[in-house]
Amino acid sequence: MVRFGIIGYGYMGHVHQKNLEQTEGAQLTAVCDINPKELEDVPGGVAACTDAGELLARNDVDVVIIAANNNQHKLLVTQAARAGKDIICEKPVAMSVAELDEMICVVKECGVRFTVHQQRRYDKDFRTIKKVYDSQTLGNVYTIQTSLYGFNGYMHDWHVKKSEGGGMLYDWGVHLLDQMLWMVGSRVKSVYACLKNVINEEVDDYFNITLSFENGVMAQLELGTYYLTDHPGWFSRHWFMGGDKGTVYSDGMNPVGKIVTTSSLRTHSPERTAAMNYGPTRSFGPAPEGLLVTSPLPDVDCDHLDYFRNYLKAYQGKEDFIIRIPEVRRVLALMEAVRESAATGKSVEFE
Ligand SMILES: NC(=O)c1ccc[n+]([C@@H]2O[C@H](COP(=O)([O-])OP(=O)(O)OC[C@H]3O[C@@H](n4cnc5c(N)ncnc54)[C@H](O)[C@@H]3O)[C@@H](O)[C@H]2O)c1
């Protein structure tokens, strides 16, 4: 049994408590939050305290999950490492690459295990698209677009404060970039990005990021929390991926979509024009009858509990931790390039 402690028992701390409860081989022994109100519903048999030092001094905690505000991560990871605890830190692991580098030094010095809760590698929609990408069904993929839109999204508490690590790039950007880098598996040549504060004063609530990969993939990631539309299909997550042999699209976190290929790839069309309701066209007419072949999305079986299943196996040396610190560092570095591009209005060379 691996014994866990949670520091920061707010929204995500409670999610971790529920996840650990459902993970065989894991036991939650202690939680800590500086706000005593958050500790009112701590399950029986689990110790509770308001001081991280007290939790870290306990000898019934093997692994500490840090789920406090982003600006607390460096301090708490350092404290946990010095107390000899293995660490899972929430994303974004740090506010900058420089902060992460300091954390890495301390963790190495103390010889503890360190990984990050970037569990959205187990999102079903993402894994579905990744499965199509890996299968090479679409031939040479040249474009990947992913978006996440919310209706009048509610950014709340410290998430709207710059000094505490608020904003959507830190919040969801880290997941979206991590998914893209992990899937495409190629060096990023350049980044062009825009960050906007649509209605927030201090932090970004919209981003649009274009990544140019060395293998020819152009990836576009767009997120907006304030899409005032009554079209329900716009909310949630969307994917579109195009290759020279087909496309795939999906909507929603429980993905609904299709793979579309062709029974015969035509490089030149014999028809001269098609009359469309927007006027005649030679290049953008409909596909001739019978040429498109549609297939269902592949089945994937995963959920966020897989993150902890992997953690426990890796803890016993049976597999690698799904999230490795050099990958986390790469995402943070990319986020810094995103901010540089957004600030200068110029494309930034990356790797
Ligand atoms: N991986 C995910 O999907 C996901 C989802 C949501 C949030 N998060 C991350 O989880 C972390 C917490 O976010 P949240 O939305 O749960 O915030 P939250 O405000 O609901 O919870 C944070 C808690 O930490 C406590 N806290 C702050 N400093 C502390 C300290 N020094 N010692 C002990 N407790 C402290 C606060 O009192 C608060 O209760 C953030 O890093 C966030 O990015 C991750």
Side-chain angles (χ1 to χ4, degrees):
M1 191 64 79
V2 180
R3 300 163 305 170
F4 288 82
I6 299 173
I7 301 180
Y9 199 56
Y11 165 74
M12 206 54 203
H14 282 76
V15 172
H16 285 304
Q17 181 266 317
K18 293 250 158 354
N19 284 342
L20 292 173
E21 209 169 65
Q22 295 175 65
T23 306
E24 210 178 307
Q27 184 193 2
L28 177 65
T29 50
V31 302
C32 162
D33 199 293
I34 46 171
N35 179 359
K37 276 216 134 318
E38 296 289 357
L39 301 172
E40 285 172 2
D41 59 353
V42 174
V46 175
C49 59
T50 51
D51 174 25
E54 198 180 312
L55 183 144
L56 293 171
R58 296 182 69 92
N59 55 17
D60 62 355
V61 172
D62 307 309
V63 182
V64 178
I65 300 177
I66 291 165
N69 311 25
N70 296 341
N71 66 342
Q72 299 293 302
H73 292 180
K74 185 184 139 195
L75 173 76
L76 292 168
V77 165
T78 306
Q79 266 184 275
R82 296 226 155 98
K85 305 296 182 192
D86 294 313
I87 301 160
I88 300 176
C89 185
E90 261 307 338
K91 52 65 10 189
V93 65
M95 309 264 283
S96 64
V97 174
E99 260 197 19
L100 175 60
D101 285 345
E102 286 181 49
M103 291 151 89
I104 293 170
C105 278
V106 178
V107 162
K108 273 200 184 139
E109 197 182 293
C110 299
V112 297
R113 286 173 270 197
F114 179 35
T115 185
V116 178
H117 189 240
Q118 287 174 194
Q119 86 291 8
R120 290 201 174 278
R121 284 202 190 174
Y122 291 106
D123 279 0
K124 201 166 175 182
D125 63 324
F126 163 62
R127 279 299 178 104
T128 302
I129 295 297
K130 184 175 183 308
K131 197 165 177 178
V132 178
Y133 183 86
D134 292 344
S135 72
Q136 302 181 350
T137 313
L138 307 183
N140 288 317
V141 170
Y142 58 88
T143 179
I144 305 176
Q145 293 156 33
T146 186
S147 57
L148 176 63
Y149 303 123
F151 170 76
N152 197 14
Y154 173 55
M155 287 181 63
H156 49 90
D157 309 315
W158 61 267
H159 292 272
V160 298
K161 293 188 188 149
K162 194 173 178 183
S163 60
E164 300 200 37
M168 276 295 142
L169 184 63
Y170 276 141
D171 195 7
W172 270 87
V174 61
H175 288 303
L176 270 50
L177 289 168
D178 179 54
Q179 289 177 343
M180 195 63 81
L181 294 188
W182 192 49
M183 174 167 68
V184 176
S186 168
R187 279 150 48 103
V188 176
K189 287 195 301 184
S190 65
V191 185
Y192 181 74
C194 144
L195 286 173
K196 284 189 189 297
N197 303 13
V198 177
I199 67 162
N200 275 286
E201 281 175 26
E202 287 192 24
V203 298
D204 58 283
D205 47 27
Y206 171 88
F207 60 72
N208 193 322
I209 301 169
T210 302
L211 305 177
S212 169
F213 285 93
E214 201 170 68
N215 68 355
V217 170
M218 291 298 293
Q220 196 185 19
L221 305 89
E222 187 183 41
L223 175 146
T225 50
Y226 297 97
Y227 273 66
L228 299 178
T229 165
D230 60 358
H231 191 316
W234 272 104
F235 308 129
S236 193
R237 189 82 191 270
H238 309 275
W239 287 93
F240 175 84
M241 184 156 75
D244 57 10
K245 293 202 166 69
T247 62
V248 61
Y249 61 87
S250 91
D251 297 311
M253 302 271 188
N254 273 319
V256 176
K258 278 183 194 150
I259 297 173
V260 184
T261 53
T262 174
S263 58
S264 134
L265 187 67
R266 301 183 317 164
T267 49
H268 301 286
S269 169
E271 289 91 30
R272 302 254 342 136
T273 58
M276 307 298 289
N277 59 8
Y278 49 84
T281 175
R282 282 181 290 184
S283 303
F284 294 95
E289 197 81 15
L291 207 65
L292 293 186
V293 181
T294 62
S295 342
L297 295 175
D299 280 334
V300 298
D301 184 19
C302 63
D303 62 39
H304 287 178
L305 286 182
D306 287 335
Y307 179 87
F308 283 104
R309 294 185 189 112
N310 161 261
Y311 187 84
L312 292 182
K313 282 195 194 141
Y315 201 78
Q316 294 158 10
K318 293 182 183 158
E319 53 189 60
D320 292 333
F321 290 117
I322 181 141
I323 305 292
R324 297 179 314 116
I325 294 300
E327 296 168 330
V328 171
R329 191 179 185 282
R330 185 174 178 228
V331 173
L332 268 192
L334 188 55
M335 282 160 69
E336 291 188 354
V338 163
R339 289 193 198 280
E340 185 187 335
S341 172
T344 59
K346 291 187 175 147
S347 163
V348 172
E349 282 185 21
F350 189 60
E351 291 170 325

